[in-house]
Amino acid sequence: MQPIDIHRYAPLFVVMNAASGSQDSQAVRETVEREVHRAGRSVFFRMLEPGQDLSTVAARAVQQAVEHHGIIVAAGGDGTINAVAQAALGKDCAFGVLPQGTFNYFSRTHHIPADPVEAVRLLLNTREAYPVQVGLVNDKVFLVNASLGLYPELLEEREAAKQAHGRSRVVAMWAGLRTLLHRHRHLRLTLQMESGALGKRQQTIKTPTLFVGNNQLQLEQLGMPEAPRVSQGQLAAITVKPQPTWRMVWLGVKGLFGRLGEADEIVSFPLRDMVVQPLLPLGRRRIKVATDGEISWLTPPLRFSVASMPLNLICPTPAAFEQSQQQSTGT
């Protein structure tokens, strides 16, 4: 798919979650306003206030961006970016990011600067938005990953730790290891996938978690061989064979050191479309699913797929990124 053009005076519509990340949102807002006005452009903010629904705020901002031929911008962590991307997918507007999260996998993958000044200047000076792949689980967007089982529990523990001890990678990693020390229930999942000329193939597995990745950087950091498939129009699925608690902790350590893909206990495979039917306890109709760190309850079956339409992202071209790297290193 071809990039879309951006008008040189396109206004910016910024959705900002004041609770995201460790940076001061007011300082970021002032930086954005200063740079935008210096460039002779317009910017409109939609600040997420306590009690407001992020998806509703994002949908209204996207509607305004489309009506005014503007740029929709997500300012926050991966969860905020996900909500705005959900509203922007399939809409005729460019999508920008001002990263303010802890890991910022999406922005780092696409070489979007973490510095607010550099990030907003990228939004102002770029004249094309480039198509990037979006993952779906049923109708929920995921740009980084989607998961069920142990991984959503890990995310909830991590968020609680951040609330108590602040947002940092050390806190996040410690919370993850602590979650692995607990006993966890195994899921029984029936997986159905397309298998070329053979039609559909189906298998039933028992696993503590199913993780589907859509971010090459995160998969590379885990040491997964499927990481390059994400840039080739596929997703990467990871499951774990049932293990004792101490072994799960060891797998977590291997993941921290980028060697998870070497473990015999890990089963991973690429996919474009997969239907998952979990065996739920009697009386339960929904299952907890995490998408880019945000928890929701979805009704099975769960269909994991690559969206038919991309997100039109404002990011450096490979040539521009390489040039900036050379300038920063003095080569």
Side-chain angles (χ1 to χ4, degrees):
M1 295 186 180
Q2 297 298 314
I4 65 169
D5 294 331
I6 303 170
H7 193 277
R8 62 178 301 180
Y9 292 113
L12 277 62
F13 295 85
V14 182
V15 177
M16 179 173 285
N17 185 354
S20 290
S22 58
Q23 300 183 50
D24 180 70
S25 58
Q26 184 58 36
V28 173
R29 176 170 179 165
E30 291 172 359
T31 297
V32 173
E33 289 177 330
R34 182 181 65 249
E35 294 296 325
V36 171
H37 294 156
R38 183 179 293 169
R41 303 271 286 275
S42 299
V43 60
F44 305 91
F45 287 88
R46 280 195 172 270
M47 305 293 292
L48 182 68
E49 303 296 339
Q52 284 188 309
D53 178 58
L54 178 55
S55 61
T56 301
V57 172
R60 290 173 180 168
V62 168
Q63 182 179 357
Q64 286 185 308
V66 172
E67 291 173 352
H68 294 86
H69 305 286
I71 300 168
I72 183 68
V73 181
D78 284 331
T80 303
I81 295 169
N82 174 283
V84 181
Q86 178 86 47
L89 185 66
K91 304 296 193 302
D92 187 22
C93 65
F95 179 76
V97 171
L98 296 173
Q100 293 181 267
T102 303
F103 291 98
N104 296 320
Y105 279 120
F106 180 72
S107 58
R108 288 163 60 202
T109 292
H110 298 289
H111 310 304
I112 296 169
D115 179 75
V117 173
E118 294 182 16
V120 74
R121 287 178 180 173
L122 173 68
L123 297 176
L124 294 170
N125 296 327
T126 305
R127 294 290 168 261
E128 290 182 319
Y130 300 89
V132 298
Q133 176 174 295
V134 173
L136 293 174
V137 50
N138 292 357
D139 61 348
K140 295 281 291 183
V141 160
F142 63 98
L143 303 176
V144 181
N145 61 61
S147 58
L148 53 150
L150 176 61
Y151 195 72
E153 294 176 15
L154 184 153
L155 294 173
E156 289 182 317
E157 180 77 18
R158 188 177 79 183
E159 190 59 33
K162 287 179 181 179
Q163 295 294 328
H165 305 292
R167 292 179 178 268
S168 74
R169 297 188 185 188
V170 173
V171 170
M173 290 176 181
W174 168 245
L177 288 176
R178 189 169 63 181
T179 304
L180 293 176
L181 287 170
H182 300 163
R183 294 187 65 184
H184 9 270
R185 185 174 62 86
H186 289 113
L187 301 171
R188 189 174 180 85
L189 307 173
T190 299
L191 314 181
Q192 188 176 79
M193 290 171 287
E194 297 291 339
S195 185
L198 299 177
K200 294 182 179 179
R201 60 186 177 92
Q202 180 174 299
Q203 67 178 117
T204 299
I205 64 171
K206 188 177 181 182
T207 180
T209 194
L210 170 65
F211 177 99
V212 179
N214 184 37
N215 184 274
Q216 185 169 347
L217 175 62
Q218 185 182 51
L219 293 167
E220 286 174 346
Q221 289 188 345
L222 291 172
M224 301 308 300
E226 289 81 10
R229 298 295 191 100
V230 173
S231 62
Q232 300 168 7
Q234 293 181 301
L235 305 170
I238 303 172
T239 66
V240 183
K241 299 174 184 177
Q243 303 295 318
T245 299
W246 71 268
R247 194 66 186 170
M248 291 297 295
V249 174
W250 176 239
L251 290 175
V253 172
K254 290 182 76 73
L256 289 177
F257 285 92
R259 301 180 61 183
L260 190 63
E262 301 173 5
D264 293 336
E265 300 88 346
I266 297 296
V267 178
S268 59
F269 50 90
L271 64 104
R272 273 196 63 87
D273 196 300
M274 176 175 68
V275 176
V276 177
Q277 181 66 63
L279 179 64
L280 298 179
L282 188 65
R284 185 182 298 177
R285 296 184 178 181
R286 298 186 299 167
I287 188 169
K288 187 187 297 182
V289 178
T291 49
D292 295 345
E294 300 300 307
I295 306 296
S296 56
W297 289 85
L298 301 184
T299 302
L302 306 176
R303 180 184 178 188
F304 294 85
S305 61
V306 175
S308 59
M309 291 179 293
L311 199 62
N312 298 309
L313 180 67
I314 298 177
C315 58
T317 63
F321 175 71
E322 184 176 347
Q323 182 180 14
S324 69
Q325 290 295 97
Q326 290 174 349
Q327 291 173 347
S328 65
T329 57
T331 58

